[in-house]
């Protein structure tokens, strides 16, 4: 019988899949790049690579990897288990070879036969170290330098090459020996790394024609690891030949100082300048004065020997110093010119007499006391003696009113002899004083002092010094009085002119009653209403001259009459009638002469008088057309000739 029941109890089975070596190793991070300094020691680590295998690492050797180098020997080696790449060769030089390509293999099955493998590339770059000294391309350099080469100008260039790179290749230059150490210097060009020879002092072919220098180039950055290989520097010899150049003349002095007395006569020799040609040809020299520095031609110079002479008389008091420029030119080459400055000092002689230091008036009080000092006077002298000025004062004659007293400071005091000075009797005194100096020969002059008598207060304050102005204080001078008087006169003249013009204007604007002038000018007291004012003229001139002139109120001004007050608009039964209200207010405004604005639109009804020729219209005649006679049109003149022809032609056509 079929019961669908199992004949045996169920059982469980575990199936384990056994791994086989079916996956090759892979480098997931490749390709690799690494950098290592050149000249590194053997065994120095470069980089590490890593490969993976998807096989089961716990079953057999399917995932056991072994590393090896396929390409890159004998420079590098690799640890078969850790995959660390190392330096394998000593003295790897970047200057010989900078980059290496290393191929690494990873093989499973422990590297045995039948294992699978994968590869990766590693690019190794050698970085630079300062392992090479600078080296001159030549051991001897030769240059030819002109003797007129300017200071700090290049006289030649040297170059020391360095096989290193970047900072390790930078060098500095110096002169370590030679007979031109004090004449030349050497600097480094930062762009080309060349040594530039420059002058420290000017060259002179006539004194020295050649120089020899020993130049050294040294690295700026030093690496002590390689110092045992020798000094990182190099030397070269530089020979410099000086080339002769045509040089300008040379003055014996950078500047000259000459002295001359101001009374020296014309053609007096003041001094001499000297210049020579430094070249071996020794050309002759020609001297000239630059006239831009001697515009008044005060001096001359001998063109052959350089002697400077006086051309015009001198005056120390006008100009004590003169600075002129002298040029020296080679006769055989006029382009070679040198210049020097000649300073000429004019020495003083006693040729000026002393004078009062200030020209001023002296005031004396009427109530002064005898022996009173009224003024202190000093003198000046344009001369400049070596020992200073000493002035001697004395009165030109015995004066009964004044005397002088010598002070110790080259000045004198003026004293009064009495107290009887009166302005009414004499208001001004002249006191001549003689002044002598101590020059050789001495000079003297007579100077007059003006003394004015004034009215003073009890305490000595000056009040007035004029006889005509006893009542005026001293502070109000004559100039101030004149100015005040002129102002008063000017004011009166302006008032008279204004009154005259005003009266003349009123007379010209009056319109006589008997003159019937239609086109008259109306004068108003106001300024009018501007461009919109249409009422600022007489409207009556436009009215009918034949009719009766009726009164028309002015609307450009408010009339004097009072308008009847407006009556309120009665409202209808249904309230306010807006249309009627507006119409009423508009009518009131149009007819109210007191309501602003006062201008309005004028309506002129006058059409003019009748024509002197009568009417041309045929409607006004009762006669028939045939009775019309147009011969009178011919009498009107040439302007109506064509019109007459037209009417005559019209009559003829009707007759036909």
């Amino acid at each position: 019988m079929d019961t669908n029941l199992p004949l045996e109890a169920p059982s469980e089975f575990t199936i384990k899949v056994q791994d086989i070596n079916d996956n090759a190793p892979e480098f997931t991070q490749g390709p690799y790049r690494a950098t290592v300094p050149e000249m590194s020691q053997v065994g120095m680590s470069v980089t590490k690579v890593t490969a993976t295998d998807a096989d089961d690492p716990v079953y057999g050797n399917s995932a056991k990897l072994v590393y090896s180098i396929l390409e890159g020997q004998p420079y590098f080696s690799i640890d078969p288990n850790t995959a660390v790449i190392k330096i394998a060769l000593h003295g790897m030089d970047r200057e010989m070879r900078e980059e290496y390509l290393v191929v690494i293999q990873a093989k499973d099955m422990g590297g045995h036969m039948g294992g699978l493998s994968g590869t990766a590339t590693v690019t190794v770059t050698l970085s630079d170290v300062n392992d090479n000294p600078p080296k001159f391309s030549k051991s001897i350099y030769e240059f030819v330098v002109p003797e007129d080469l300017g200071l700090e100008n290049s006289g030649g260039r040297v170059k020391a090459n360095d096989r290193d790179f970047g900072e390790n290749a930078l060098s500095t230059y110096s002169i370590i020996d030679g007979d031109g150490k004090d004449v030349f210097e050497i600097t480094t060009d930062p762009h080309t790394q060349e040594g530039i020879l420059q002058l420290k002092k000017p060259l002179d072919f006539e004194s020295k024609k050649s120089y020899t220098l020993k130049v050294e180039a040294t690295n700026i950055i030093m690496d002590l690891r390689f110092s045992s290989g020798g000094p990182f520097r190099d030397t070269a010899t530089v020979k410099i030949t000086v080339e002769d150049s045509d040089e300008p003349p040379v003055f014996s002095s950078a500047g000259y100082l000459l002295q001359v007395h101001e009374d020296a006569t014309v053609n007096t020799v003041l001094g001499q300048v000297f210049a020579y040609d430094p070249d071996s040809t020794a050309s002759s020299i020609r001297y000239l004065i630059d006239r831009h520095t001697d515009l008044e031609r005060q001096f001359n110079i001998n063109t052959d020997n350089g002697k400077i002479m006086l051309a015009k008389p001198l005056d120390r008091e006008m100009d004590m110093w003169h600075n002129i420029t002298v040029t020296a030119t080679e006769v055989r080459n006029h382009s070679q010119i040198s210049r020097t400055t000649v300073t000429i000092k004019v020495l003083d002689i006693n040729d000026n007499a002393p004078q009062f230091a200030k020209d001023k008036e002296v005031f004396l009080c009427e109530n002064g006391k005898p022996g009173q000092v009224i003024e202190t006077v000093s003198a000046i002298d344009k001369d400049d003696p070596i020992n200073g000025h000493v002035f001697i004062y004395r009165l030109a004659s015995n004066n009964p009113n004044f005397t002088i007293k010598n002070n110790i400071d080259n000045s004198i005091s003026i004293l009064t002899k009495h107290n009887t000075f009166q302005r009414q009797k004499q208001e001004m005194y002249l006191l001549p004083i003689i002044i002598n100096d101590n020059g050789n020969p001495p000079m003297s002059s007579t100077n007059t002092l003006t003394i004015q008598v004034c009215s003073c207060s009890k305490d000595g304050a000056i009040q007035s010094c004029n006889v005509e102005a006893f009542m005026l204080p001293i502070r109000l001078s004559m100039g101030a009085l004149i100015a005040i008087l002129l102002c008063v006169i000017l004011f009166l003249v302006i008032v008279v002119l204004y009154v005259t013009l005003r009266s003349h204007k009123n007379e010209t604007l009056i319109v006589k009653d008997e003159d019937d002038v239609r086109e008259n000018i109306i004068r108003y007291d106001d300024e009018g209403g501007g461009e919109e004012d249409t009422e600022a003229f007489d409207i009556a001139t436009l009215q009918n001259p034949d009719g009766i002139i009726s009164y028309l109120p002015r609307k450009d001004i408010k009339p004097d009459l009072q308008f009847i007050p407006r009556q309120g608009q009665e409202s209808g039964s249904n309230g306010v009638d807006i249309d009627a209200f507006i119409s009423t207010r508009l009518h009131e405004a149009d007819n109210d002469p007191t309501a602003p604005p006062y201008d309005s639109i004028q309506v002129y009804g006058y059409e003019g008088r009748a024509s002197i020729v009568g009417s041309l219209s045929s409607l006004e005649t009762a006669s028939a057309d045939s009775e019309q006679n147009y011969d009178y049109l011919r009498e009107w003149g040439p302007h109506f000739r064509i019109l007459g022809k037209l009417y005559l032609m019209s009559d003829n056509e009707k007759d036909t």
Side-chain angles (χ1 to χ4, degrees):
M1 184 176 67
D2 188 4
T3 61
N4 293 328
L5 297 175
L7 297 179
E8 296 181 359
S11 301
E12 293 182 359
F13 297 92
T14 300
I15 301 174
K16 184 177 183 180
V17 179
Q18 184 177 358
D19 184 38
I20 64 173
N21 189 17
D22 58 347
N23 290 282
E26 294 181 357
F27 292 89
T28 58
Q29 298 180 355
Y32 298 88
R33 298 192 68 87
T35 302
V36 64
E38 64 173 331
M39 298 296 177
S40 296
Q41 298 294 327
V42 175
M44 183 176 179
S45 176
V46 177
T47 188
K48 180 181 179 180
V49 296
T50 302
T52 59
D53 196 321
D55 294 327
D56 189 358
V58 299
Y59 181 79
N61 294 326
S62 297
K64 185 178 181 180
L65 303 180
V66 176
Y67 298 91
S68 61
I69 292 181
L70 298 181
E71 185 179 343
Q73 295 176 337
Y75 307 104
F76 302 95
S77 64
I78 190 171
D79 189 296
N81 298 318
T82 62
V84 175
I85 302 174
K86 301 179 181 180
I87 297 293
L89 184 64
H90 177 73
M92 296 180 66
D93 191 358
R94 185 199 67 86
E95 287 72 36
M96 297 298 295
R97 183 177 179 182
E98 184 176 3
E99 194 172 83
Y100 297 85
L101 183 65
V102 181
V103 179
I104 305 298
Q105 175 184 265
K107 190 174 183 181
D108 58 10
M109 296 300 291
H112 293 96
M113 186 71 68
L116 301 178
S117 63
T119 60
T121 60
V122 180
T123 302
V124 181
T125 303
L126 299 181
S127 61
D128 185 62
V129 297
N130 192 12
D131 59 338
N132 293 282
K135 187 70 175 177
F136 282 103
S137 58
K138 296 187 295 183
S139 60
I140 299 177
Y141 293 85
E142 294 183 355
F143 301 105
V144 177
V145 178
E147 66 171 326
D148 58 353
L149 180 68
L151 298 180
E152 298 183 357
N153 289 334
S154 175
R157 290 175 176 255
V158 297
K159 179 66 180 294
N161 299 312
D162 196 320
R163 299 176 62 193
D164 295 322
F165 176 76
E167 294 181 349
N168 297 321
L170 298 179
S171 299
T172 181
Y173 299 88
S174 61
I175 299 175
I176 60 175
D177 198 6
D179 55 359
K181 290 179 61 177
D182 298 333
V183 179
F184 292 90
E185 63 180 356
I186 190 168
T187 59
T188 303
D189 190 329
H191 303 289
T192 62
Q193 285 298 301
E194 292 177 311
I196 305 174
L197 288 171
Q198 294 177 329
L199 281 178
K200 293 168 57 179
K201 296 180 180 180
L203 298 175
D204 186 7
F205 173 81
E206 287 71 26
S207 60
K208 190 170 179 61
K209 297 179 176 58
S210 64
Y211 296 90
T212 301
L213 306 175
K214 188 175 184 180
V215 180
E216 181 181 71
T218 307
N219 276 150
I220 297 176
I221 299 176
M222 302 294 294
D223 195 334
L224 299 178
R225 294 178 300 172
F226 307 102
S227 60
S228 60
F232 277 71
R233 63 189 62 188
D234 193 19
T235 59
T237 301
V238 178
K239 293 184 177 181
I240 299 174
T241 301
V242 180
E243 183 181 41
D244 187 22
S245 299
D246 192 2
E247 300 175 272
V250 177
F251 280 96
S252 59
S253 177
Y256 296 86
L257 175 62
L258 305 179
Q259 295 182 346
V260 58
H261 284 89
E262 61 178 322
D263 61 345
T265 59
V266 176
N267 295 328
T268 299
V269 177
L270 311 182
Q272 184 178 12
V273 297
F274 176 73
Y276 64 94
D277 184 7
D279 300 321
S280 57
T281 55
S283 174
S284 300
I285 305 300
R286 180 181 177 84
Y287 302 94
L288 292 173
I289 293 178
D290 186 352
R291 292 304 177 182
H292 292 90
T293 61
D294 185 25
L295 297 176
E296 296 182 359
R297 296 184 176 270
Q298 196 80 45
F299 307 96
N300 288 328
I301 190 171
N302 190 306
T303 58
D304 298 326
N305 56 26
K307 290 183 179 181
I308 298 176
M309 297 167 291
L310 186 63
K312 292 182 179 180
L314 298 172
D315 187 358
R316 190 201 68 88
E317 286 70 39
M318 294 294 295
D319 200 347
M320 182 177 177
W321 295 92
H322 296 270
N323 294 309
I324 62 174
T325 299
V326 176
T327 62
T329 308
E330 291 185 8
V331 174
R332 64 178 182 84
N333 187 359
H334 294 170
S335 63
Q336 298 298 330
I337 303 175
S338 295
R339 290 175 172 82
T340 189
T341 301
V342 179
T343 301
I344 301 172
K345 181 179 180 181
V346 182
L347 302 178
D348 183 47
I349 63 170
N350 192 28
D351 58 345
N352 290 278
Q355 296 176 347
F356 280 155
K358 295 180 180 178
D359 292 332
K360 60 181 180 179
E361 287 186 331
V362 179
F363 299 99
L364 170 64
C365 291
E366 288 181 313
N367 56 356
K369 298 179 181 180
Q372 182 180 358
V373 177
I374 61 174
E375 188 64 44
T376 299
V377 178
S378 60
I380 58 173
D381 194 330
K382 294 181 180 180
D383 296 321
D384 188 17
I386 299 176
N387 298 324
H389 289 291
V390 176
F391 299 122
I392 301 173
Y393 302 85
R394 60 187 176 88
L395 294 177
S397 62
N398 187 16
N399 193 290
N401 300 310
F402 305 97
T403 184
I404 61 174
K405 180 181 112 175
N406 285 305
N407 302 323
I408 59 175
D409 57 353
N410 271 344
S411 65
I412 60 172
S413 297
I414 309 298
L415 291 79
T416 59
K417 286 186 175 182
H418 56 83
N419 61 350
T420 59
F421 297 98
Q422 294 181 1
R423 285 186 297 165
Q424 294 83 352
K425 181 178 179 181
Q426 184 173 351
E427 65 173 337
M428 185 178 297
Y429 294 89
L430 300 178
L431 183 62
I433 300 175
I434 300 175
I435 309 175
N436 293 80
D437 61 16
N438 61 334
N440 185 19
M443 300 289 291
S444 65
S445 65
T446 301
N447 299 264
T448 302
L449 190 65
T450 302
I451 303 174
Q452 190 169 359
V453 182
C454 301
S455 175
C456 302
S457 61
K458 293 182 180 180
D459 56 356
I462 297 176
Q463 292 180 339
S464 176
C465 296
N466 296 326
V467 178
E468 297 82 359
F470 286 106
M471 302 304 295
L472 294 177
I474 191 64
R475 296 182 182 88
L476 198 58
S477 63
M478 181 60 67
L481 292 175
I482 295 175
I484 294 173
L485 183 60
L486 290 177
C487 291
V488 172
I489 295 174
L490 181 61
F491 177 78
L492 293 176
V493 171
I494 293 175
V495 171
V496 172
L497 289 176
Y498 176 80
V499 173
T500 303
L501 293 176
R502 185 70 177 178
S503 60
H504 179 71
K505 180 178 180 181
N506 293 335
E507 292 175 0
T508 55
L509 294 179
I510 295 176
V511 180
K512 296 182 180 179
D513 296 335
E514 61 270 18
D515 295 337
D516 188 8
V517 180
R518 296 299 179 178
E519 297 180 358
N520 58 342
I521 298 175
I522 307 300
R523 179 175 61 85
Y524 300 96
D525 292 334
D526 58 345
E527 296 182 357
E531 296 179 357
E532 298 180 358
D533 188 0
T534 61
E535 299 295 336
F537 52 86
D538 189 5
I539 302 300
T541 57
L542 298 178
Q543 302 299 325
N544 186 355
D546 299 332
I548 300 176
I549 300 176
S550 62
Y551 170 75
L552 292 178
R554 292 284 306 271
K555 292 187 178 183
D556 56 339
I557 59 174
K558 184 176 180 179
D560 295 333
L561 61 88
Q562 299 293 328
F563 188 68
I564 300 175
R566 303 171 185 167
Q567 301 295 328
Q569 178 71 25
E570 297 180 358
S571 61
S573 59
N574 295 330
V576 178
D577 188 345
I578 302 300
D579 185 27
F581 177 78
I582 294 175
S583 300
T584 301
R585 290 292 181 263
L586 182 61
H587 178 74
E588 292 177 356
D590 291 340
N591 294 277
D592 188 358
T594 63
Y598 303 128
D599 54 351
S600 62
I601 300 175
Q602 301 297 323
V603 179
Y604 305 103
Y606 176 65
E607 297 181 356
R609 298 184 178 89
S611 174
I612 59 175
V613 298
S615 175
L616 297 178
S617 174
S618 61
L619 298 178
E620 296 182 358
T621 179
S623 61
D625 294 339
S626 59
E627 297 177 358
Q628 294 289 330
N629 186 3
Y630 301 101
D631 292 337
Y632 60 88
L633 293 176
R634 299 176 181 177
E635 301 175 357
W636 291 0
H639 296 289
F640 296 90
R641 184 178 301 163
I642 297 177
L643 182 62
K645 291 180 179 181
L646 292 175
Y647 275 92
L648 292 175
M649 291 174 62
S650 178
D651 291 342
N652 295 332
E653 291 176 358
K654 291 180 181 180
D655 295 338
T656 57

